[in-house]
Amino acid sequence: MPLVRISLLKGKSKAHIRAIADGVHKALVEAYDVPADDRFQLIQQHEPEEFIYDADYLGIHRTDDLVIIQVTAGNWRETATKQAFYKAVADNLSENPGLRTEDVFISLLSVQRDDWSFGKGVASYVKEPAPV
Amino acid sequence: MPLVRISLLKGKSKAHIRAIADGVHKALVEAYDVPADDRFQLIQQHEPEEFIYDADYLGIHRTDDLVIIQVTAGNWRETATKQAFYKAVADNLSENPGLRTEDVFISLLSVQRDDWSFGKGVASYVKEPAPV
Amino acid sequence: MPLVRISLLKGKSKAHIRAIADGVHKALVEAYDVPADDRFQLIQQHEPEEFIYDADYLGIHRTDDLVIIQVTAGNWRETATKQAFYKAVADNLSENPGLRTEDVFISLLSVQRDDWSFGKGVASYVKEPAPV
């Protein structure tokens, strides 16, 4: 169910990008109660003038390796679950592709069960059939 | 009011892309109570490494024709209205450009009336004037 | 905290794009209670077939200078604050790069305090430590 948007500066290798995508998905499975095959990720690579960030907000020093991740997911997660997810993403991306955890920015968007259609024109998570 | 983001793999014709955009908008008008001239759509074409999807989640078989549609719209729609909208999008894109309905993924983001400015610096759907 | 997505047609100068990004951020600081160094902006430049808008919805005449701005921010703002923000964006972009205010479209997405991680794998705005 999550729809994941990952934004970063252009110029990284395909392996680097894949490692980020894999690490974010692994964190969703490990810490956010997402099935392993529930994976939908959109990646955007930006020119420098298209990717603007503050290098020190909240005393966290960021570099051009910054990854901005926005996850649309179900709104039934508790704060503790979100915290575990943030840690899992940072841990995974630190391990591979070796990002500094300061360069991992995450924003969550929460939605309801009836906000998803995974195909075939139906609300995949709604039990009641569509009215005729 | 809806702001529509449509993501797909690069390599499709302009006519194919236009048919998708038209079909999504037609579904909004037909099934989601959106005025015909309330149309704002952003389309993103991705390289293969930027567009990651599971080919079988929920037993729905997807192909590289997959279209991922994220619609930001008002939060006053009922589940039945969302269901009718999903069906309308799938039906329309099946008809033109001829997508398989398994290749139509939709995610909704719901917002309030005061979350929109369509221009001129005002909250277009708020009746009360801005405080001075 | 805001994550800002700015979309416009390709073909503008870097100075034009920077002025838009600066003007949106200035409005956040002036009218939306955002710290000056809390700046994260993603800009997307679209081909004409990727950027579809109605040129007259709500009687507001739009041109190819249109900028579509989507801001993800905390959900604790009142309607009056949103109204002041819309006006500030339009005023700023009218001054520089000289946009018509009809060409400034804004959509807000509202989220909670625990929906943000600005780095280091923690929920930056949550006071309680993550459970072990």
Side-chain angles (χ1 to χ4, degrees):
Chain A
M1 153 205 55
L3 178 59
V4 176
R5 296 183 186 276
I6 298 172
S7 299
L8 73 171
L9 278 169
K10 267 183 199 163
K12 305 296 183 186
S13 70
K14 289 185 188 183
H16 181 98
I17 293 171
R18 185 71 195 195
I20 292 170
D22 285 351
V24 172
H25 186 64
K26 191 160 166 275
L28 286 167
V29 173
E30 291 168 344
Y32 220 60
D33 196 24
V34 167
D37 60 349
D38 180 359
R39 179 170 182 172
F40 300 91
Q41 299 178 305
L42 301 170
I43 293 151
Q44 297 170 266
Q45 302 179 68
H46 292 269
E47 300 291 343
E49 66 269 23
E50 300 171 334
F51 190 83
I52 299 172
Y53 64 91
D54 189 273
D56 285 300
Y57 179 57
L58 295 183
I60 297 168
H61 183 58
R62 301 174 190 84
T63 73
D64 279 353
D65 287 337
L66 179 65
V67 180
I68 294 181
I69 301 158
Q70 192 166 43
V71 178
T72 304
N75 63 359
W76 48 88
R77 274 81 176 189
E78 305 285 340
T79 296
T81 303
K82 294 177 183 181
Q83 289 174 309
F85 172 62
Y86 298 143
K87 182 172 186 316
V89 175
D91 285 351
N92 291 348
L93 301 194
S94 171
E95 189 176 321
N96 188 12
L99 291 184
R100 299 165 59 255
T101 61
E102 290 88 343
D103 283 325
V104 179
F105 179 114
I106 306 169
S107 157
L108 300 180
L109 296 174
S110 297
V111 298
Q112 299 178 295
R113 289 192 188 276
D114 63 1
D115 287 327
W116 298 98
S117 175
F118 291 88
K120 297 190 177 179
V122 300
S124 310
Y125 291 155
V126 173
K127 288 176 188 168
E128 298 75 26
V132 184
Chain B
M1 155 205 54
L3 178 60
V4 176
R5 296 184 186 274
I6 298 172
S7 298
L8 73 170
L9 279 169
K10 267 182 200 163
K12 306 296 184 185
S13 70
K14 289 186 187 182
H16 181 98
I17 293 170
R18 184 71 196 196
I20 291 169
D22 286 351
V24 172
H25 186 63
K26 192 160 165 274
L28 286 167
V29 174
E30 291 169 344
Y32 221 60
D33 196 25
V34 167
D37 59 349
D38 180 0
R39 180 170 181 172
F40 300 91
Q41 299 178 306
L42 301 171
I43 294 152
Q44 296 170 265
Q45 302 180 69
H46 292 269
E47 300 291 343
E49 67 269 22
E50 300 171 333
F51 190 83
I52 299 172
Y53 65 91
D54 189 273
D56 285 300
Y57 179 58
L58 296 183
I60 298 168
H61 183 59
R62 299 174 191 86
T63 74
D64 279 353
D65 287 336
L66 179 65
V67 180
I68 295 181
I69 301 158
Q70 192 166 43
V71 177
T72 304
N75 63 358
W76 48 89
R77 274 82 175 189
E78 305 285 340
T79 297
T81 303
K82 295 178 183 179
Q83 289 175 308
F85 172 61
Y86 298 143
K87 182 171 188 313
V89 175
D91 286 351
N92 291 349
L93 301 194
S94 172
E95 189 176 321
N96 188 12
L99 292 183
R100 299 164 60 254
T101 60
E102 290 88 344
D103 283 326
V104 180
F105 178 114
I106 306 168
S107 157
L108 300 180
L109 296 174
S110 297
V111 298
Q112 299 178 295
R113 290 193 187 276
D114 63 1
D115 287 325
W116 298 97
S117 176
F118 291 88
K120 296 189 176 180
V122 300
S124 309
Y125 292 156
V126 173
K127 287 177 187 167
E128 298 74 27
V132 184
Chain C
M1 156 204 52
L3 179 59
V4 177
R5 296 183 187 275
I6 297 172
S7 299
L8 74 170
L9 280 169
K10 266 183 200 164
K12 305 295 183 187
S13 70
K14 289 186 186 182
H16 180 99
I17 293 171
R18 185 70 195 196
I20 292 169
D22 286 351
V24 172
H25 186 64
K26 192 161 166 274
L28 286 167
V29 174
E30 292 168 344
Y32 220 59
D33 197 25
V34 167
D37 59 349
D38 180 359
R39 180 170 181 172
F40 300 92
Q41 299 177 305
L42 301 171
I43 293 152
Q44 297 171 264
Q45 303 179 69
H46 292 270
E47 299 291 344
E49 66 269 21
E50 300 171 333
F51 190 83
I52 300 173
Y53 65 90
D54 188 273
D56 285 300
Y57 179 58
L58 296 183
I60 297 168
H61 183 58
R62 300 175 190 84
T63 73
D64 278 354
D65 287 336
L66 179 66
V67 180
I68 295 181
I69 302 157
Q70 191 166 43
V71 177
T72 304
N75 63 359
W76 49 88
R77 275 81 176 191
E78 306 284 339
T79 296
T81 303
K82 295 178 183 180
Q83 290 175 309
F85 172 61
Y86 298 144
K87 182 173 187 313
V89 176
D91 284 352
N92 291 349
L93 301 194
S94 171
E95 189 176 321
N96 188 13
L99 291 184
R100 299 164 59 255
T101 61
E102 290 89 342
D103 283 326
V104 179
F105 178 114
I106 306 167
S107 157
L108 301 180
L109 297 173
S110 296
V111 298
Q112 298 178 295
R113 290 192 187 277
D114 62 2
D115 287 326
W116 298 98
S117 176
F118 291 87
K120 296 190 177 180
V122 301
S124 311
Y125 292 155
V126 173
K127 287 175 188 168
E128 298 74 27
V132 184

